[in-house]
Amino acid sequence: SQTIHQWPATLVQPVGSPLSLECTVEGTSNPNLYWYRQAAGRGLQLLFYSVGIGQISSEVPQNLSASRPQDRQFILSSKKLLLSDSGFYLCACYQQGGYGYTFGSGTRLTVV
Amino acid sequence: KNQVEQSPQSLIILEGKNCTLQCNYTVSPFSNLRWYKQDTGRGPVSLTIMTFSENTKSNGRYTATLDADTKQSSLHITASQLSDSASYICVVRSGTYKYIFGTGTRLKVLA
């Protein structure tokens, strides 16, 4: 079955600093990959999804960007963090053929 | 507008009791519906997945129902345990890539 590795688990960054969150997937190939954000007490908001290397779709305009340099690697970035970027970021993977939709363990980002 | 609404927002029950969580959706096109359990500070874990033609699906003490006509789903937890304390999230898949998440029900089971 597929496994998602996401790091770091927690991160505290000052306003205006850059961001790079990494997500890698094992046990599958050519997955659909997703970045979600979960603000405190709120539901999950889809930020980006990718159906292949170099292909990124953005769901909402924001201060963040995503890249997929390899089939099983998905990166969430920002050049300058805002206070409103604080939240819990989840990477997810969808693979056809029975494995379904799997989430990473999440990164809690606090922008100070 | 595609929406998934869950109720109640939060729920407190005593260990050993049963409870039912509700999910109403207005999503089109509908592909499937999943219930996830999310422990605090962790990623969600899938409990059940239901397609349009399925009415009931069980996973241990968890039983999900789906009424595609009324666009409602429920998650019933039997004989609750302390470890059931978590957020339960209803997610509806629309088309191939789009997933609409409910805001979740926060369940606390007390000894």
Side-chain angles (χ1 to χ4, degrees), chain A residues 13-31:
Chain A
Q13 291 282 94
V15 168
S17 65
L19 173 73
S20 180
L21 302 182
E22 189 161 343
C23 169
T24 60
V25 182
E26 290 181 2
T28 186
S29 60
N30 196 31

Side-chain angles (χ1 to χ4, degrees), chain A residues 36 38 44 59 94 101, chain B residues 36 38 93 97-99 101:
Chain A
Y36 286 90
Q38 186 176 38
L44 285 159
E59 282 293 300
Y94 186 84
Y101 197 47
Chain B
Y36 285 85
Q38 184 179 18
R93 180 181 170 192
Y97 306 120
K98 200 174 200 61
Y99 294 83
F101 285 71

Side-chain angles (χ1 to χ4, degrees), chain A residues 20-76:
Chain A
S20 180
L21 302 182
E22 189 161 343
C23 169
T24 60
V25 182
E26 290 181 2
T28 186
S29 60
N30 196 31
N32 296 337
L33 297 176
Y34 305 80
W35 277 111
Y36 286 90
R37 176 170 58 201
Q38 186 176 38
R42 305 286 296 277
L44 285 159
Q45 179 188 36
L46 177 63
L47 302 176
F48 301 96
Y49 68 87
S50 170
V51 299
I53 297 173
Q55 192 280 333
I56 306 292
S57 294
S58 175
E59 282 293 300
V60 294
Q62 59 217 315
N63 183 43
L64 303 167
S65 62
S67 62
R68 185 168 177 178
Q70 301 180 44
D71 180 47
R72 288 174 283 182
Q73 184 184 30
F74 204 23
I75 298 171
L76 183 69

Side-chain angles (χ1 to χ4, degrees), chain B residues 38-51:
Chain B
Q38 184 179 18
D39 293 313
T40 302
R42 306 291 298 275
V45 174
S46 180
L47 295 175
T48 66
I49 178 172
M50 302 183 74
T51 59

Side-chain angles (χ1 to χ4, degrees), chain B residues 78-105:
Chain B
T78 304
S80 61
Q81 301 176 357
L82 296 178
S83 58
D84 292 331
S85 295
S87 289
Y88 292 83
I89 305 172
C90 175
V91 182
V92 178
R93 180 181 170 192
S94 178
T96 304
Y97 306 120
K98 200 174 200 61
Y99 294 83
I100 297 97
F101 285 71
T103 53
T105 293

